[in-house]
Amino acid sequence: MSNFVQKERAETTVNIDKLNAFLDPDHERTQNIFKEIINDPILTTPRNYYDLTKPQLRELSAKKIARLSRYVETEDFEEFEERSTLLAIADPAVITRIGINLNLFCNAIKGNGTDEQIKYWLFERGTMQLRDIYGCFAMTEMAHGSNVAALETTATYNPERQTFKINTPELRATKWWIGGAAHSANYAVVYARLISKGKDYGVKIFVVQLRDPNHELVQGVTIGDIGTKMGRDAIDNGWIQFHNVEVPREFMLQRYTKIDPDGTVHLTPLEQISYSALIQGRVAMTMDSFRQGARFITIALRYAVGRQQFGKPGQENQIINYALHQHRLLPYLSLVYLLGPGSQKLVIDYRQILKDLHDGKNLKKSIADLKDLFVNSASLKATNTWLISQLIDEARQACGGHGYHAYSGLGRAFNDWSVQQTWEGDNNVLSINAGRSIIKYYEAGQKGKKLGEDFEYLKQKFDSNLKFDDDRSLVDIWSLVIIKVAQHALSIYNGDWESVSQERLLLSKFHSNRYLTETFYKRLTKSSDLGSKEKETLKTLFKLYTYYFIDKFAGTFLQFDILDASRLTHIQAETKKLFNELRPNLIGLTDAFKYPDEIINSSLGNFNGDFYNNYFQDVVQNYGKGDKAPYIDVLTDVLKRPSLDELSSFSKTKKTLEKLGDDI
Amino acid sequence: MSNFVQKERAETTVNIDKLNAFLDPDHERTQNIFKEIINDPILTTPRNYYDLTKPQLRELSAKKIARLSRYVETEDFEEFEERSTLLAIADPAVITRIGINLNLFCNAIKGNGTDEQIKYWLFERGTMQLRDIYGCFAMTEMAHGSNVAALETTATYNPERQTFKINTPELRATKWWIGGAAHSANYAVVYARLISKGKDYGVKIFVVQLRDPNHELVQGVTIGDIGTKMGRDAIDNGWIQFHNVEVPREFMLQRYTKIDPDGTVHLTPLEQISYSALIQGRVAMTMDSFRQGARFITIALRYAVGRQQFGKPGQENQIINYALHQHRLLPYLSLVYLLGPGSQKLVIDYRQILKDLHDGKNLKKSIADLKDLFVNSASLKATNTWLISQLIDEARQACGGHGYHAYSGLGRAFNDWSVQQTWEGDNNVLSINAGRSIIKYYEAGQKGKKLGEDFEYLKQKFDSNLKFDDDRSLVDIWSLVIIKVAQHALSIYNGDWESVSQERLLLSKFHSNRYLTETFYKRLTKSSDLGSKEKETLKTLFKLYTYYFIDKFAGTFLQFDILDASRLTHIQAETKKLFNELRPNLIGLTDAFKYPDEIINSSLGNFNGDFYNNYFQDVVQNYGKGDKAPYIDVLTDVLKRPSLDELSSFSKTKKTLEKLGDDI
């Protein structure tokens, strides 16, 4: 007898190739890369990956990096990035470790170095091909993360020697969390305060050697291992202190700010674009949200279709048939589907804007685009890394006890994922920054100013009663609620942005919702390769997404009179119908991600749906049968221990006490 | 210069001794036990606990159990339980491991065994003193957790030999997740289907030996290690398969169902109380929610008071001064405060009801009380283990990057905590069961039936407009919303409880809110030892709790017309004022938990507030300085590798190809 997963797969009514092509325009390349990864004995991720200790993980990730060095010099960088993203689905830490060098280190130089500096550090030295230099990104300090402008490391210029001295003035200025510093990196881009002629010019970027060709620390550099983390232990994060480390004037990145040999500093109004190095990470994390979300919702849904509990003996109900279980998982399925087109648009826009900036043809427009990209990427990164964290947690709970097993993949997933909420922009900080920009854009729009394409909606006019009579309204309702919340924020704003931080947070979340619905709607409308069944199913997901989030934020929708109670009750009832529409194709909808078993890497989530057998075999293969614990004597000694009296020393036994008591 | 934590401590305006006594009526015993734990070199938990591998954790927990065996025979069991609960704050897994034997195994026997069986297994054999027998609780199977009645292991009675044969009929019936089975246990209570004379009498409980006195597996028992988990790796969970394992008739627990030597089975209507063994865990998890919540909110608030970011250079703002940061953490502080009295009431009620049941004087009332206890403990366990999970996650995020370090304690905390949502009753299943009971109770109340004390509120009558003019109304509003949701659920109920599962989930959450506010309100009203400042502050926390959750569930409150939009806006504005009222005493309010540093075990959460120094010292002490990675050659070989041409085999070099091409 085939199992439920196989049975429902056979009965799927949507074409999964078409859905896959809709979700992933590069689907052929994706499948090729997947094959290359899983056929490579070093790059593929075995089940017992979840058992590896920190030293083992670090060694393995170094080996994977060595392996990837073969690809980095034979394919173009965009393709290599795609390979990295796909490899990161099963092993996110290794890609972080390589990305510290190829993205953070190199992007800091690309974004802030002169053409010569870029040429020298990235290409002549071989960094971009993982040769000679392994760079790290020494920005964060112990006491400063989000507030980069307040970093305390100093780079003091000496015109006589034409060098800077890099120093860590106090403990709190120790560079901290620096990925790659503990073991891998021999160079760093160091964010430090430029001091020249006694004046502090704020934080600039310096290329600093950390280790010599024998990988020994250079003079004045002290480095330690940060140690164990919540997740991603394959990354060798470290701390760095500098004691009079000397670097030549030419090692300061000088695309914008320049320093003359005599120490005269030339600042530039273009400084703001120097932080663009961090955007790449935010864009990548939005794409990660799609990729990882697809992985984990697949595990939970395959398990939910296959697992039975309660109901008639021998014919127990599949847990996915329970209303609550559908309510727990299907909205996340819709989220993942919407994240596909949305994250792809963000990547495309990012690449175009960075290219335009570099070309420098219309710098004013490029800078405006960059600002919009800041807002979009902040809102999307924060909102969706939070949501995927919830998805993973819900997926784990939805797999019951088995979800707590390492081989479900969901525990490690949560640990590895959690850092996304914090690094390269803390989610709360990003959200309220994005929210503030949205309020300002709204104000500017009201004053008739032109807004960027992704924010034009802030000028939209709505009837007092928005009709829910077409699909487009599922995008518009987000525009409307954003406008209402922005209006409300302005009405209670007391001159201090602190007074509206709750509203800013909401606006950032709603903007992400709007961005995803808008992008999905456009692709769906344009897409000509889909059959009617696929189109209908994608529309159901699209509808579910907005219905679910309306219900989740029902307080706001009712408070601002966008819905009334009866409309909300109607939406709640309709949501259940959407679940029913999707129910027959849940296996098809997850198969459409086309992730091989090795990429999903979960005993519960294999394609064959035969999870009890898979899981048992994995457990027995890796943990054996009937072994005694090495420390078993500790326990058996307890169980066999003598009585309390016998355990006491002789001088306390009853007999002794009687003897001693004879003449007392 | 003292740091901010010390400064604010000095300026605290509440008396922390009084607050501590309010929160913990047994505070003197608590402090004594804390001292005993942290002074014991085995029982105390060092900072590098977070670095231990699974084998190390398991050995350490065995040693702690050996150490605790000294206490278990010299103090009464309630005191020992209190000791365990307090030890579990810093090291939850070890207490689970010991509780498998002392609670699950022993409670199954206490709840289902005859007086002779209880006497023999628990006392004569020494189990309750950790002697001779180490029991485990073999209920869950691979394919069945929540649905105990559908377990598939069989116990087939043979009247000739007067024995049962225990069998695992197929893979899916393998006992799974059995804590203690992999290494520790030599006995198990096995939940299996009683088959006698060809008839299946459903699931009963059997005492089964697993290992002989030399700790070798007995014939027919196969056991394996479950392996790595998301957390609590110190517990040796295992799987068990039985192949014709023979146990005597007398080893079936026969307080209720009995079996004669000839195989005649006598069932009893009292069967329902046989699952009371599981309630203890739910009650304990509510208490854990309080204990662990206090630990983690202390870390986050001390860090939030001490950490500065943004604002004027040199005088950056403490992060706790940001409105959003207060909004993220202070509601959880109020939750922890409310959980104190609430969880204590639940423990007291539990002990009383179990005692009454055992005395058997008024069995009808005891059974009704037990049913109420099921509902209360299900609602409180599910709601609060979810909330504490969110608290831990928020606390981690609120500590920024440092929260992701193992030594924050928050990552491990999340992993260890997560299982609480699943074991001893999956939170979703418990919630909808509690919700169904609440709807039924409401219906019964409407028909004039008597309800238990904790559910009498379901008969309360309300004016159409509830006034918020006194503290009592902060309890009543929960009664009102529960009644409204129950009414709504009945109005849409279509004969299938599935149709109202969302409403049942909500009712369970709201009942927990009501229970906690009611209990807190009562203790606050009765408490005579508090000064006016403490009383005022506790009232602010009480108010914050309800205001926060009203806002969180605003959709429901507006949908059912309990509030209108302007009232909601007012509550949101008032909430900010409550934050301001609490702000000066945040250090005092966390100090009032009186947890020693060794119990909190976080580099960020020490009493002295000097977290940069504490953290740096902890990291350097445990991870050293300047060490090269053992695998460093893997990386340096990559960086120093020859060019692609050189790397290729000789036969592919340009020169060779030219030569080969000479005559092609």
Side-chain angles (χ1 to χ4, degrees):
Chain A
M1 190 197 94
S2 71
N3 58 48
F4 281 107
V5 171
Q6 290 164 5
K7 189 170 156 286
E8 297 199 7
R9 178 171 294 130
E11 292 164 2
T12 298
T13 62
V14 284
N15 181 311
I16 69 157
D17 291 330
K18 287 186 179 176
L19 288 177
N20 181 251
F22 172 84
L23 279 172
D24 180 0
D26 277 328
H27 54 99
E28 281 175 27
R29 181 172 71 179
T30 301
Q31 291 304 315
N32 278 330
I33 294 177
F34 276 152
K35 271 185 208 121
E36 286 168 6
I37 292 170
I38 68 182
N39 287 329
D40 184 310
I42 303 285
L43 292 183
T44 195
T45 304
R47 193 61 36 93
N48 70 4
Y49 168 75
Y50 300 119
D51 297 310
L52 301 181
T53 62
K54 184 175 63 179
Q56 290 169 328
L57 284 168
R58 287 187 175 180
E59 181 168 357
L60 178 63
S61 77
K63 286 181 178 160
K64 288 193 181 182
I65 289 171
R67 199 84 192 149
L68 285 168
S69 71
R70 311 289 176 89
Y71 291 98
V72 79
E73 56 196 349
T74 56
E75 63 192 358
D76 76 40
F77 194 67
E78 262 185 34
E79 181 154 354
F80 185 78
E81 269 191 320
E82 193 60 20
R83 179 179 308 279
S84 300
T85 312
L86 295 170
L87 196 127
I89 302 174
D91 189 354
V94 70
I95 297 309
T96 310
R97 189 168 179 179
I98 206 169
I100 285 155
N101 177 29
L102 295 179
N103 294 318
L104 285 174
F105 178 81
C106 291
N107 283 348
I109 294 174
K110 268 192 240 169
N112 301 279
T114 62
D115 291 348
E116 272 308 319
Q117 286 178 322
I118 295 169
K119 195 173 135 201
Y120 176 74
W121 292 113
L122 271 52
F123 302 102
E124 284 183 32
R125 293 291 297 262
T127 314
M128 287 287 286
Q129 295 206 342
L130 286 167
R131 207 177 248 115
D132 190 6
I133 290 181
Y134 201 99
C136 67
F137 185 74
M139 185 170 85
T140 306
E141 295 172 2
M142 211 173 194
H144 287 99
S146 293
N147 189 7
V148 176
L151 293 172
E152 295 172 72
T153 302
T154 54
T156 310
Y157 186 66
N158 176 345
E160 279 155 42
R161 295 176 60 83
Q162 294 200 26
T163 58
F164 303 97
K165 283 232 164 119
I166 313 284
N167 272 295
T168 302
E170 44 181 332
L171 177 66
R172 44 186 277 134
T174 304
K175 292 291 174 186
W176 201 261
W177 279 124
I178 310 308
H183 292 155
S184 327
N186 49 11
Y187 275 79
V189 284
V190 176
Y191 283 65
R193 314 197 74 76
L194 167 60
I195 317 276
S196 184
K197 301 181 183 179
K199 189 174 167 193
D200 181 335
Y201 287 92
V203 173
K204 311 296 163 206
I205 311 173
F206 304 83
V207 180
V208 181
Q209 188 176 2
L210 301 177
R211 291 178 167 99
D212 67 19
N214 295 322
H215 220 71
E216 301 294 341
L217 291 178
V218 302
Q219 193 187 324
V221 172
T222 313
I223 285 185
D225 186 352
I226 284 281
T228 313
K229 300 183 291 289
M230 184 179 181
R232 304 205 185 209
D233 271 331
I235 312 165
D236 56 317
N237 294 81
W239 54 264
I240 315 175
Q241 290 173 342
F242 300 99
H243 307 275
N244 289 322
V245 177
E246 196 167 25
V247 298
R249 184 176 66 95
E250 294 78 1
F251 281 24
M252 182 176 118
L253 299 180
Q254 302 192 33
R255 187 173 200 86
Y256 304 109
T257 299
K258 292 181 200 301
I259 183 164
D260 294 340
D262 71 349
T264 306
V265 175
H266 305 275
L267 295 171
T268 160
L270 291 178
E271 203 68 27
Q272 55 174 313
I273 65 180
S274 70
Y275 293 127
S276 61
L278 287 172
I279 289 197
Q280 191 272 345
R282 295 173 197 160
V283 171
M285 282 184 250
T286 307
M287 178 57 82
D288 275 0
S289 298
F290 166 56
R291 298 276 193 216
Q292 295 281 14
R295 177 181 172 204
F296 298 114
I297 199 69
T298 299
I299 298 170
L301 283 173
R302 285 184 180 162
Y303 182 81
V305 165
R307 172 83 169 180
Q308 298 165 271
Q309 205 78 186
F310 294 110
K312 291 182 196 159
Q315 281 183 299
E316 286 181 278
N317 206 359
Q318 294 163 266
I319 58 175
I320 193 58
N321 292 338
Y322 292 102
L324 185 56
H325 213 79
Q326 294 176 2
H327 207 278
R328 290 165 65 189
L329 295 178
L330 300 199
Y332 288 117
L333 179 67
S334 75
L335 166 68
V336 174
Y337 265 79
L338 266 74
L339 271 168
S343 60
Q344 287 148 17
K345 168 175 157 56
L346 192 65
V347 170
I348 291 166
D349 287 355
Y350 162 77
R351 287 183 178 154
Q352 188 60 49
I353 292 167
L354 268 271
K355 194 173 160 294
D356 290 348
L357 257 180
H358 210 261
D359 293 350
K361 278 181 197 151
N362 185 347
L363 210 55
K364 201 176 154 194
K365 180 174 181 308
S366 294
I367 289 175
D369 286 348
L370 185 67
K371 204 186 156 196
D372 286 358
L373 181 66
F374 262 112
V375 182
N376 282 331
S377 63
S379 152
L380 285 158
K381 181 270 196 188
T383 306
N384 295 296
T385 58
W386 269 328
L387 287 170
I388 295 302
S389 174
Q390 291 167 20
L391 180 158
I392 296 170
D393 190 45
E394 192 67 67
R396 179 187 56 71
Q397 292 189 54
C399 293
H402 300 320
Y404 199 68
H405 196 286
Y407 289 178
S408 76
L410 296 161
R412 171 67 65 84
F414 190 89
N415 291 347
D416 284 346
W417 187 260
S418 288
V419 73
Q420 306 264 43
Q421 295 159 11
T422 302
W423 64 8
E424 292 180 62
D426 172 86
N427 275 5
N428 283 287
V429 175
L430 288 181
S431 296
I432 59 175
N433 285 348
R436 184 176 52 196
S437 295
I438 292 165
I439 295 172
K440 285 180 172 177
Y441 283 178
Y442 171 74
E443 251 193 323
Q446 291 310 99
K447 291 179 184 154
K449 296 209 177 120
K450 189 169 154 45
L451 300 176
E453 199 184 333
D454 296 329
F455 297 90
E456 269 173 8
Y457 72 87
L458 290 167
K459 296 168 96 167
Q460 220 170 315
K461 303 284 174 214
F462 290 99
D463 288 343
S464 58
N465 265 317
L466 180 71
K467 295 268 181 301
F468 269 113
D469 46 10
D470 61 5
D471 296 331
R472 178 72 218 175
S473 68
L474 297 172
V475 182
D476 289 339
I477 195 165
W478 293 112
S479 311
L480 178 59
V481 72
I482 290 168
I483 289 169
K484 292 246 189 177
V485 173
Q487 285 168 348
H488 174 69
L490 285 169
S491 77
I492 62 170
Y493 174 65
N494 66 8
D496 179 359
W497 284 103
E498 277 292 291
S499 61
V500 292
S501 49
Q502 281 300 308
E503 289 73 18
R504 288 153 68 194
L505 182 65
L506 268 183
L507 286 169
S508 170
K509 291 181 178 181
F510 292 166
H511 179 70
S512 170
N513 287 349
R514 193 195 171 282
Y515 188 101
L516 296 186
T517 48
E518 164 91 0
T519 315
F520 190 87
Y521 177 78
K522 280 187 178 163
R523 186 178 293 180
L524 191 57
T525 311
K526 276 193 317 196
S527 184
S528 54
D529 297 337
L530 296 168
S532 67
K533 186 64 197 169
E534 291 79 43
K535 223 163 189 159
E536 192 188 302
T537 304
L538 290 167
K539 271 193 188 175
T540 305
L541 287 164
F542 170 65
K543 208 167 183 177
L544 173 58
Y545 180 87
T546 285
Y547 277 18
Y548 173 75
F549 281 104
I550 287 175
D551 191 29
K552 197 166 167 183
F553 292 100
T556 305
F557 282 87
L558 294 169
Q559 189 174 4
F560 295 115
D561 206 21
I562 296 166
L563 299 174
D564 59 17
S566 73
R567 193 73 160 273
L568 177 63
T569 308
H570 177 71
I571 284 176
Q572 289 164 345
E574 286 294 305
T575 304
K576 291 181 190 172
K577 291 187 194 158
L578 302 179
F579 293 153
N580 290 338
E581 287 171 28
L582 294 171
R583 175 66 190 87
N585 281 316
L586 293 179
I587 292 301
L589 284 165
T590 48
D591 283 354
F593 300 128
K594 294 202 176 176
Y595 282 5
D597 284 347
E598 293 85 348
I599 296 291
I600 290 182
N601 198 17
S602 167
S603 295
L604 307 179
N606 283 359
F607 186 79
N608 68 14
D610 191 17
F611 51 83
Y612 293 132
N613 282 313
N614 302 330
Y615 184 22
F616 187 72
Q617 280 161 18
D618 289 339
V619 165
V620 172
Q621 187 176 331
N622 289 296
Y623 308 117
K625 273 187 193 181
D627 301 322
K628 272 194 198 178
Y631 59 83
I632 193 62
D633 290 349
V634 178
L635 283 174
T636 49
D637 286 354
V638 173
L639 298 180
K640 293 176 179 172
R641 77 191 186 286
S643 72
L644 206 55
D645 259 10
E646 291 168 304
L647 270 173
S648 304
S649 72
F650 181 72
S651 59
K652 275 169 68 190
T653 63
K654 207 175 160 196
K655 208 169 145 192
T656 311
L657 296 180
E658 273 169 13
K659 205 156 49 171
L660 289 173
D662 272 355
D663 56 358
I664 294 175
Chain B
M1 193 198 94
S2 71
N3 59 48
F4 281 107
V5 171
Q6 289 165 6
K7 188 171 157 283
E8 296 198 7
R9 180 171 293 130
E11 291 164 2
T12 298
T13 62
V14 285
N15 181 311
I16 70 158
D17 291 328
K18 287 185 178 175
L19 288 176
N20 181 252
F22 173 84
L23 279 172
D24 181 0
D26 277 328
H27 54 98
E28 281 175 29
R29 181 171 72 180
T30 301
Q31 290 304 316
N32 277 330
I33 294 177
F34 275 152
K35 273 187 206 116
E36 286 168 5
I37 293 171
I38 68 180
N39 287 328
D40 185 309
I42 303 287
L43 293 182
T44 196
T45 304
R47 192 61 39 89
N48 71 3
Y49 167 78
Y50 301 118
D51 298 309
L52 301 180
T53 62
K54 184 174 64 180
Q56 290 170 327
L57 284 168
R58 288 186 174 181
E59 179 167 357
L60 178 63
S61 78
K63 286 182 180 161
K64 289 192 181 185
I65 289 171
R67 198 82 192 151
L68 285 167
S69 71
R70 310 287 175 91
Y71 291 97
V72 78
E73 55 194 350
T74 56
E75 64 190 358
D76 76 39
F77 193 67
E78 262 185 33
E79 181 155 354
F80 184 78
E81 270 191 319
E82 193 59 20
R83 180 179 306 279
S84 301
T85 313
L86 295 171
L87 196 124
I89 301 174
D91 189 354
V94 70
I95 297 308
T96 310
R97 189 168 179 180
I98 205 168
I100 285 154
N101 177 29
L102 294 180
N103 294 317
L104 286 173
F105 179 81
C106 291
N107 284 349
I109 294 174
K110 267 192 243 173
N112 302 280
T114 63
D115 291 347
E116 273 307 321
Q117 286 177 320
I118 295 169
K119 196 172 131 200
Y120 175 75
W121 291 112
L122 271 53
F123 302 103
E124 284 183 32
R125 292 291 296 264
T127 313
M128 286 289 283
Q129 296 206 337
L130 286 166
R131 207 176 248 112
D132 192 5
I133 290 181
Y134 201 100
C136 66
F137 184 76
M139 185 170 86
T140 307
E141 295 172 359
M142 210 174 195
H144 286 99
S146 293
N147 190 7
V148 176
L151 294 171
E152 295 172 74
T153 302
T154 54
T156 310
Y157 187 66
N158 176 346
E160 280 156 38
R161 296 178 57 83
Q162 295 198 25
T163 57
F164 303 97
K165 284 233 166 118
I166 313 286
N167 273 294
T168 302
E170 44 180 332
L171 178 67
R172 43 185 277 134
T174 305
K175 292 291 175 187
W176 201 261
W177 278 123
I178 311 307
H183 292 155
S184 328
N186 49 13
Y187 275 79
V189 285
V190 176
Y191 284 66
R193 316 197 73 78
L194 168 60
I195 316 277
S196 183
K197 302 180 180 178
K199 189 173 166 194
D200 182 336
Y201 289 92
V203 174
K204 311 295 164 206
I205 310 173
F206 304 83
V207 180
V208 181
Q209 188 175 3
L210 302 177
R211 292 179 167 99
D212 68 20
N214 295 322
H215 220 73
E216 300 292 342
L217 291 177
V218 304
Q219 193 187 324
V221 171
T222 313
I223 285 184
D225 186 353
I226 284 280
T228 312
K229 301 184 290 289
M230 183 179 180
R232 303 203 186 210
D233 271 331
I235 312 165
D236 57 314
N237 294 81
W239 55 265
I240 314 175
Q241 290 173 342
F242 300 99
H243 307 275
N244 289 323
V245 176
E246 197 167 24
V247 298
R249 183 177 65 94
E250 295 78 2
F251 280 23
M252 182 175 118
L253 298 181
Q254 302 192 32
R255 187 171 199 89
Y256 304 109
T257 299
K258 292 181 200 301
I259 183 164
D260 294 340
D262 71 350
T264 306
V265 175
H266 306 275
L267 294 172
T268 159
L270 291 178
E271 204 68 30
Q272 55 175 315
I273 64 178
S274 70
Y275 293 127
S276 60
L278 285 174
I279 288 197
Q280 192 273 342
R282 294 171 199 162
V283 171
M285 280 183 252
T286 308
M287 178 58 81
D288 275 0
S289 299
F290 166 56
R291 298 275 193 217
Q292 295 280 14
R295 177 181 172 205
F296 298 114
I297 199 68
T298 299
I299 298 170
L301 283 173
R302 285 184 180 162
Y303 182 80
V305 165
R307 171 84 167 180
Q308 297 164 271
Q309 204 81 184
F310 293 111
K312 292 182 197 158
Q315 280 182 298
E316 286 182 278
N317 206 1
Q318 293 162 268
I319 59 176
I320 193 57
N321 291 339
Y322 292 102
L324 185 58
H325 214 78
Q326 294 176 3
H327 207 277
R328 290 164 66 188
L329 295 178
L330 301 198
Y332 288 117
L333 179 68
S334 77
L335 166 69
V336 174
Y337 265 79
L338 267 74
L339 271 167
S343 61
Q344 288 148 16
K345 170 176 157 56
L346 192 67
V347 170
I348 291 165
D349 286 356
Y350 163 76
R351 287 183 178 153
Q352 188 60 48
I353 292 166
L354 268 272
K355 196 174 160 291
D356 290 351
L357 257 179
H358 211 260
D359 292 352
K361 278 180 194 148
N362 185 347
L363 210 54
K364 201 174 154 197
K365 179 175 182 310
S366 295
I367 289 175
D369 287 347
L370 185 67
K371 204 187 155 197
D372 286 358
L373 181 66
F374 263 113
V375 182
N376 282 331
S377 63
S379 150
L380 285 158
K381 181 270 198 188
T383 306
N384 295 297
T385 58
W386 269 327
L387 286 172
I388 296 300
S389 173
Q390 291 168 19
L391 180 158
I392 296 169
D393 190 44
E394 192 68 65
R396 179 187 56 71
Q397 292 189 54
C399 294
H402 300 320
Y404 199 68
H405 196 284
Y407 289 177
S408 77
L410 296 160
R412 172 66 65 83
F414 191 89
N415 291 347
D416 285 347
W417 187 260
S418 289
V419 73
Q420 305 266 42
Q421 295 159 10
T422 303
W423 66 8
E424 291 180 63
D426 172 87
N427 276 5
N428 283 287
V429 175
L430 289 181
S431 297
I432 60 175
N433 285 348
R436 184 175 54 198
S437 294
I438 291 166
I439 296 172
K440 285 179 171 176
Y441 282 178
Y442 171 75
E443 251 192 322
Q446 292 309 100
K447 289 177 186 157
K449 295 211 177 121
K450 189 170 154 44
L451 300 176
E453 200 184 332
D454 296 329
F455 297 89
E456 268 172 9
Y457 73 85
L458 290 167
K459 296 168 94 167
Q460 222 170 311
K461 303 284 176 215
F462 289 98
D463 289 342
S464 58
N465 265 317
L466 180 70
K467 295 271 182 299
F468 269 113
D469 46 9
D470 62 4
D471 295 331
R472 179 71 218 175
S473 67
L474 298 173
V475 181
D476 288 340
I477 195 164
W478 293 112
S479 312
L480 178 58
V481 72
I482 290 168
I483 289 169
K484 292 247 188 173
V485 174
Q487 285 168 349
H488 173 70
L490 285 169
S491 76
I492 62 170
Y493 174 66
N494 66 6
D496 179 357
W497 283 104
E498 276 292 292
S499 61
V500 290
S501 48
Q502 280 300 308
E503 289 72 19
R504 289 154 67 195
L505 182 65
L506 267 184
L507 285 169
S508 170
K509 291 182 179 183
F510 293 166
H511 179 70
S512 170
N513 286 348
R514 194 197 170 281
Y515 188 98
L516 295 187
T517 48
E518 164 91 0
T519 315
F520 190 86
Y521 178 76
K522 281 187 178 162
R523 187 178 292 182
L524 191 59
T525 312
K526 275 194 318 195
S527 185
S528 55
D529 296 337
L530 295 168
S532 65
K533 186 65 196 170
E534 291 78 44
K535 224 163 189 160
E536 192 187 303
T537 303
L538 290 167
K539 271 193 190 176
T540 305
L541 287 164
F542 170 64
K543 207 167 183 177
L544 173 58
Y545 180 88
T546 286
Y547 277 17
Y548 172 75
F549 281 103
I550 287 175
D551 190 30
K552 197 166 166 181
F553 293 101
T556 306
F557 281 88
L558 293 170
Q559 190 175 4
F560 295 116
D561 206 20
I562 295 165
L563 298 174
D564 59 17
S566 72
R567 194 71 160 273
L568 177 62
T569 306
H570 178 70
I571 285 176
Q572 290 164 343
E574 286 294 306
T575 304
K576 291 182 190 173
K577 291 186 193 160
L578 302 179
F579 293 154
N580 290 337
E581 287 172 28
L582 294 171
R583 175 66 190 89
N585 281 315
L586 294 179
I587 292 301
L589 284 164
T590 48
D591 283 354
F593 299 130
K594 293 200 178 180
Y595 282 6
D597 283 348
E598 293 85 348
I599 296 292
I600 290 182
N601 198 18
S602 167
S603 295
L604 308 180
N606 283 0
F607 186 78
N608 68 14
D610 190 18
F611 51 81
Y612 292 132
N613 281 311
N614 302 331
Y615 183 23
F616 187 71
Q617 280 160 20
D618 289 340
V619 165
V620 172
Q621 188 177 330
N622 289 296
Y623 307 118
K625 274 188 193 181
D627 301 324
K628 271 194 197 178
Y631 58 84
I632 193 63
D633 290 350
V634 178
L635 284 175
T636 49
D637 286 354
V638 173
L639 298 181
K640 293 177 181 170
R641 77 193 188 282
S643 72
L644 206 56
D645 259 12
E646 291 166 306
L647 272 172
S648 303
S649 71
F650 182 72
S651 59
K652 275 170 68 190
T653 63
K654 206 174 160 197
K655 207 168 145 193
T656 311
L657 296 179
E658 274 170 12
K659 204 154 55 170
L660 289 172
D662 273 355
D663 57 355
I664 295 174

